[in-house]
Amino acid sequence: MKRHLISAADLTRDDAVLILDTAEEMARVADRPIKKLPTLRGRTVVNLFFEDSTRTRISFEAAEKRLSADVINFAAKGSSVSKGESLKDTAQTLEAMGVDAVVIRHGASGAPYRLATSGWIDAAVVNAGDGTHQHPTQSLLDAFTMRRRLVGRDAGLGRDLAGRRITIVGDILHSRVARSNVQLLHTLGAEVTLVAPPTLLPVGVGHWPCAVSYDLDAVLPKSDAVMMLRVQRERMNAAFFPTEREYSRRYGLDGDRMAKMPEHAIVMHPGPMVRGMEITAEVADSDRCTAVEQVAGGVHTRMAVLYLLLGGNEPAVTHARTEETK
Amino acid sequence: MSEPNKTLIRGAKVLGGEVRDVLIDGETVVEVGTGIEAGGASVVEAAGRILLPGLVDLHTHLREPGREDSETVLTGTRAAASGGYTAVFAMANTFPVADTAGVVEQVWRLGREHGYCDVRPIGAVTVGLEGRKLAELGAMHDSAAAVTVFSDDGRCVDDAVIMRRALEYVKAFGGVVAQHAQEPRLTEGAQMNEGVVSAELGLGGWPAVAEESIIARDVLLAEHVGSRVHICHLSTAGSVAIVRWAKSRGIDVTAEVTPHHLLLTDELVRTYDPVYKVNPPLRTERDVTALREALADGTIDIVATDHAPHPHEDKDCEWAAAAMGMVGLETALSVVQHTMVDTGLLTWEGVADRMSFAPARIGRAEGHGRPVSAGEPANLTLLDPAYRGTVDPAGFASRSRNTPYEGRELPGRVTHTFLRGRATLMDGKLA
C-alpha cells in the first residue's frame, strides 16, 4: 500500500482485499469485552477537521482509540484556522508536534492531496472526505458491508465483489461517496450503475468505469445492492430538479420500488438519511437497509486502514491473537 | 538603463529572414543594410539571432496601485523588458480600480518614470468593475494616459445592454472594448475546465459554453452597433469557431490567446498544484490544437500574456483557496517559439505580427509594432532562438514567481531589448 490514502484510486485490488480482510479481523476486537489493541501505542494521530462531520470524526476517533493511538481532535472552527491560518501553517504546526498520521476532512477538493504531496508534513495522510472529490474510507466501509452481506462474513475473506451489480442513486455530481465507490467497486470487480437526473451527473461521467441510467425502476431488478445518496435540499434552489416531490417520485426509494429488487438485494445509505425524500421510513427501517451496519463497519475499516498505513507489517490477525494470549 | 546613443546590431536575421546590420542613432533606426560601419557606435554581435520589432502585450496585470506585494509598475515593466516587450497594456483591476482619469494617469506616469517599457493603462468599462454603470470612458481617453482599450478583465461585462452601450460609446474616440468572456451564472463555483478531469477530481467545472456564449453574443452586438470588439484570452475550440465565423461575416472582432493556453492542458490539474489555476482555465488537448491552428491562420490575432503575478502564499495552499493566474511576460516568447515556431505553424514574421504589429494596431500604441526599417522608432527585441535552458523563476524580474514552467526546458532567450534606442535589456541582464 502507498503511504497515504487520498483516493480510492490509490488502492489495487489486492490492497483493497487486504484492507477488507484486516477489517474483519478488527471486527473481532469489537466482540471482546475490552475492545482495544495495543497496535498504535505511542503513535499520535490528529483528526484535522476543517468541515463539520461528527459521524466521520467519531468513527475515526473510535478506530484510533481501539488501536491505542494518542488522539488529537482539531476542529477548524474556533481555532487559528478561523483566524486566517492556512492549511500549510496548520500542517507545519502539526509536523512540529511530531504527529504520525493526519486524518483530514476538508471542504476543498484536493486539500488532502496537497497536504500529502507538498512537503508540508511527513505524516501519513488519510483523506476523510474532501469537497466533492473522494471519501475513500467510506467506499471501503461500503465494500466491507457489501462483501459481508452478498458474499458472507467468513466466506468473503480473500475475495472481491466480482460480478456483483451495484446501483448508486442520487446526487452523483456533488458526491465524493459516489466517486470513491465507483472507483473502488470497479477495482473489486463489481458492475456499477449510476442513476440520477442528468442535472446531477457530472459532464465527464461517460469516462467513468460504470453504466449510467436515468431510470431507477429499470435498474432495480438487476441490482444486488442499491446505494441511496443524500440529496441536499439546497440543490433545489440551483434548479437541479424542479421539486422535492418530483425528485422523490422519480428517484426516491419506497416500499414498492424495493419490492422490485431481488430478494437478496440490500439497500445502503451513507447517512445521514433524509427520510421521505430519497428514502422512505419503511425502507430505511427494513432489514434490508444496512445503514447501521455501515456505521459499525466504518470503525473496523478505519482501524484496518490506520493499522496498515502506520506500519502494519504483519497481518493484523496474528498481531491481535498474539495480544490475546499475553 | 544606458543612455540612447549609437548602437550597431550586427548580423541579425531581421524578423528571421535576411541577415542585416541595424544601426540605431538616438531613438531611431537610421539604417538597415549589410556591411554597415560601426563608426563610434557600440556593437552588438548578433550572428544567429533574430531581430524582432519590440513586443507589445495587450494584456498585463501590473497590480499597482493596491497589490504592490504582487507586482509594481517598476517590477512588472522590468519583467516586460526581460521578456522582450517594449510596451504593455496594464489591466484595470487594481485597487482602486482604474476607472477614472486619475488612476490611469498614475499608472501611466509610473511607467514613464521607470522607463523599462511604455505602459498604456487599460480603463475599466464599468465603475468598480461592477458591470452596472459605465465608467468615464471619455475622460480616461482624454487624460494624459490617452486610454484606448477598456476592459473589466477578471470580470465579464455580462449585462448585454451595458456591453452594447460600451461598444457604441467608445466609437466616438476609436476605443475598443476587450471582453473577458465568462458567463457568470454558468461558472459559479467553477475551479477548472468542465470535463473528464473535473468530474474525476471533484472540482467545480467551468464549461466551455460559458466563454463561447458570451463571445457569440458580443460579436453580434459589435455587428449590430458597428463597433469593434476584442476578445481576451480565448481558450476553447468553440470560441475559435465563433470568432472565425464572425470574421467571415465581416464583423470587426479581434482575439487573443495566452502562451499557456497554447501549451498546457487540464490534465495538469491532476496535481492539484495551484500554479495551474488560471482564468480562463486550462482546457483540453483538442482546444490547444484549435488555438494553435487559429493563431497560425490569423483567426486569433495576437498572443497576449495575461501576466498575472501573485505572491507565493497566494499559491502555496490548497487549490480552492489559491488565486487564479500565472506570470508570463518573461516566458511568452519562448513558449510561442516552442508551440508555434518549432512546430512549423508560424514563421518569425508571423511571431512579429502576432506579438508586436497586431497588438500595437489593436491597442493603437503609437511608435510600437513598426517595421524594422530606417526612420522607425528603435523599439526592438533580439532573440537567440538556438538557446535551450530550464526555466528558473529565481531569476525572474517580476516580483512574483507563479510560473507553471519552473524546471521545464523551453527554447529561446531574449538577449537584448531596446526602447526608443535605449537598451533596457543587455546580454540578458536588465540595463
Side-chain angles (χ1 to χ4, degrees):
Chain A
M1 271 182 59
K2 294 183 176 178
R3 206 163 67 84
H4 310 289
L5 180 58
I6 306 300
S7 164
D10 295 341
L11 301 170
T12 64
R13 183 246 176 224
D14 288 349
D15 288 337
V17 171
L18 174 63
I19 294 170
L20 299 184
D21 288 353
T22 307
E24 286 291 359
E25 298 305 327
M26 296 299 180
R28 293 180 189 176
V29 177
D31 297 334
R32 297 183 194 171
I34 298 172
K35 303 175 176 59
K36 207 152 170 115
L37 292 174
T39 313
L40 297 186
R41 187 184 288 154
R43 314 295 291 273
T44 305
V45 182
V46 174
N47 297 318
L48 181 58
F49 274 56
F50 290 86
E51 199 180 65
D52 290 336
S53 174
T54 306
R55 168 188 298 253
T56 302
R57 187 184 58 73
I58 289 175
S59 179
F60 268 106
E61 190 174 347
E64 291 148 7
K65 286 181 171 169
R66 284 185 191 178
L67 292 170
S68 303
D70 295 323
V71 180
I72 300 170
N73 286 314
F74 184 109
K77 271 188 187 168
S79 74
S80 51
V81 172
S82 61
K83 298 170 193 160
E85 184 173 279
S86 69
L87 175 61
K88 179 184 176 183
D89 291 336
T90 304
Q92 289 180 334
T93 302
L94 298 177
E95 178 74 355
M97 292 174 180
V99 307
D100 298 292
V102 177
V103 175
I104 177 174
R105 160 69 70 102
H106 203 290
S109 299
Y113 183 89
R114 284 284 283 166
L115 186 65
T117 59
S118 297
W120 298 336
I121 195 166
D122 282 332
V125 176
V126 180
N127 183 1
D130 61 328
T132 54
H133 178 220
Q134 282 279 318
H135 197 352
T137 58
Q138 176 71 42
S139 63
L140 283 162
L141 75 86
D142 289 338
F144 178 80
T145 307
M146 284 178 215
R147 196 176 74 165
R148 274 192 161 187
R149 281 288 197 114
L150 302 177
V151 186
R153 180 171 178 167
D154 293 322
L157 287 174
R159 293 181 60 185
D160 57 21
L161 292 166
R164 310 292 160 171
R165 294 167 300 182
I166 316 296
T167 300
I168 304 175
V169 187
D171 184 357
I172 310 297
L173 180 65
H174 301 96
S175 175
R176 52 193 171 210
V177 175
R179 279 174 179 76
S180 306
N181 266 297
V182 167
Q183 283 177 331
L184 183 71
L185 294 172
H186 173 70
T187 299
L188 289 171
E191 296 167 15
V192 181
T193 301
L194 302 177
V195 179
T199 48
L200 288 175
L201 288 162
V203 159
V205 74
H207 290 76
W208 291 6
C210 61
V212 173
S213 172
Y214 308 136
D215 185 351
L216 180 58
D217 291 306
V219 178
L220 287 176
K222 297 178 282 186
S223 303
D224 297 310
V226 178
M227 184 182 298
M228 304 304 294
L229 299 176
R230 184 170 71 90
V231 176
Q232 294 166 21
R233 286 201 157 94
E234 60 268 28
R235 303 287 178 220
M236 281 182 288
N237 299 328
F240 286 102
F241 49 87
T243 62
E244 187 174 335
R245 178 184 158 92
E246 175 161 324
Y247 180 88
S248 189
R249 279 184 174 179
R250 293 180 66 86
Y251 299 100
L253 190 62
D254 58 13
D256 289 344
R257 281 210 166 106
M258 188 167 66
K260 294 180 180 176
M261 294 164 55
E263 264 185 37
H264 69 274
I266 55 172
V267 176
M268 306 183 73
H269 198 297
M273 292 187 281
V274 181
R275 291 171 185 242
M277 186 170 175
E278 77 265 7
I279 193 166
T280 62
E282 177 190 5
V283 177
D285 294 333
S286 79
D287 291 342
R288 303 174 78 171
C289 181
T290 62
V292 176
E293 287 172 54
Q294 287 169 260
V295 174
V299 177
H300 310 145
T301 313
R302 286 165 180 139
M303 286 173 76
V305 166
L306 288 164
Y307 168 76
L308 292 167
L309 284 182
L310 290 178
N313 293 323
E314 50 191 303
V317 60
T318 309
H319 202 109
R321 285 177 179 162
T322 305
E323 291 303 324
E324 239 171 7
T325 57
K326 276 183 183 174
Chain B
M1 281 152 282
S2 67
E3 287 306 306
N5 50 23
K6 288 178 81 168
T7 305
L8 178 66
I9 302 169
R10 184 182 278 155
K13 288 183 177 179
V14 175
L15 301 181
E18 299 295 319
V19 174
R20 291 284 184 271
D21 301 334
V22 175
L23 183 64
I24 301 167
D25 190 356
E27 299 188 357
T28 310
V29 173
V30 292
E31 191 177 356
V32 178
T34 53
I36 298 175
E37 293 293 328
S42 56
V43 177
V44 175
E45 295 292 351
R49 298 190 195 167
I50 290 168
L51 189 65
L52 298 172
L55 306 184
V56 177
D57 189 18
L58 200 65
H59 194 144
T60 296
H61 295 273
L62 292 179
R63 304 294 190 216
E64 189 175 10
R67 283 306 305 265
E68 291 83 354
D69 56 327
S70 305
E71 194 79 286
T72 63
V73 174
L74 173 62
T75 59
T77 53
R78 282 167 66 88
S82 297
Y85 287 89
T86 54
V88 298
F89 285 75
M91 273 299 171
N93 59 340
T94 49
F95 303 95
V97 172
D99 57 4
T100 63
V103 178
V104 294
E105 283 192 357
Q106 178 193 357
V107 174
W108 174 76
R109 282 185 204 288
L110 284 167
R112 269 174 60 110
E113 286 167 15
H114 299 315
Y116 279 92
C117 74
D118 283 352
V119 175
R120 297 291 309 271
I122 291 174
V125 178
T126 65
V127 174
L129 309 176
E130 289 178 349
R132 291 199 286 270
K133 187 173 181 302
L134 286 183
E136 290 187 343
L137 309 176
M140 288 189 275
H141 175 72
D142 294 339
S143 74
V147 175
T148 53
V149 182
F150 299 90
S151 180
D152 279 359
D153 182 59
R155 293 193 193 176
C156 178
V157 181
D158 64 309
D159 183 314
V161 173
I162 295 287
M163 187 62 184
R164 172 191 173 151
R165 300 288 182 243
L167 288 168
E168 287 174 314
Y169 195 80
V170 299
K171 285 202 293 182
F173 41 85
V176 62
V177 177
Q179 174 68 293
H180 173 119
Q182 180 189 348
E183 210 292 318
R185 283 279 283 156
L186 285 172
T187 53
E188 273 177 18
Q191 305 251 11
M192 66 170 297
N193 179 48
E194 181 177 88
V196 175
V197 182
S198 69
E200 189 179 316
L201 298 185
L203 289 173
W206 196 310
V209 70
E211 177 175 308
E212 295 154 3
S213 57
I214 292 291
I215 297 174
R217 182 200 72 176
D218 286 354
V219 295
L220 291 173
L221 282 174
E223 179 182 49
H224 183 65
V225 302
S227 189
R228 66 183 179 122
V229 64
H230 177 76
I231 310 296
C232 296
H233 38 50
L234 254 65
S235 70
T236 79
S239 298
V240 166
I242 293 163
V243 171
R244 189 172 282 134
W245 170 82
K247 287 188 168 183
S248 73
R249 196 175 157 96
I251 297 170
D252 198 354
V253 56
T254 53
E256 69 188 36
V257 64
T258 72
H260 47 271
H261 286 107
L262 292 172
L263 179 59
L264 309 175
T265 71
D266 64 353
E267 288 290 331
L268 291 161
V269 182
R270 290 185 189 281
T271 63
Y272 282 110
D273 186 341
V275 76
Y276 300 114
K277 187 175 177 182
V278 65
N279 177 353
L282 301 178
R283 304 288 188 180
T284 67
E285 196 66 47
R286 176 175 162 268
D287 296 304
V288 167
T289 301
L291 292 166
R292 289 184 185 187
E293 288 171 358
L295 184 65
D297 70 19
T299 302
I300 294 177
D301 301 83
I302 65 170
V303 174
T305 67
D306 194 6
H307 176 80
H310 292 292
H312 181 67
E313 59 270 23
D314 286 5
K315 286 288 194 178
D316 193 27
C317 55
E318 56 275 31
W319 180 274
M324 289 184 283
M326 41 184 73
V327 292
L329 283 168
E330 291 167 86
T331 49
L333 195 52
S334 290
V335 175
V336 170
Q337 180 182 337
H338 177 60
T339 57
M340 301 299 297
V341 181
D342 292 353
T343 53
L345 288 167
L346 208 59
T347 62
W348 285 106
E349 286 75 8
V351 172
D353 179 67
R354 308 300 194 270
M355 298 183 77
S356 180
F357 298 146
R361 191 167 59 241
I362 294 166
R364 311 226 155 134
E366 287 170 17
H368 294 276
R370 302 293 305 165
V372 182
S373 55
E376 294 290 351
N379 296 318
L380 301 167
T381 297
L382 191 62
L383 163 83
D384 176 4
Y387 176 85
R388 294 287 181 278
T390 303
V391 177
D392 179 9
F396 281 3
S398 172
R399 177 160 284 179
S400 294
R401 304 281 186 268
N402 50 308
T403 175
Y405 308 118
E406 181 173 6
R408 186 188 277 254
E409 186 173 291
L410 286 175
R413 174 171 174 259
V414 176
T415 62
H416 293 74
T417 307
F418 295 92
L419 176 64
R420 285 185 287 280
R422 182 185 308 210
T424 53
L425 186 77
M426 177 87 81
D427 290 322
K429 294 187 176 66
L430 286 162

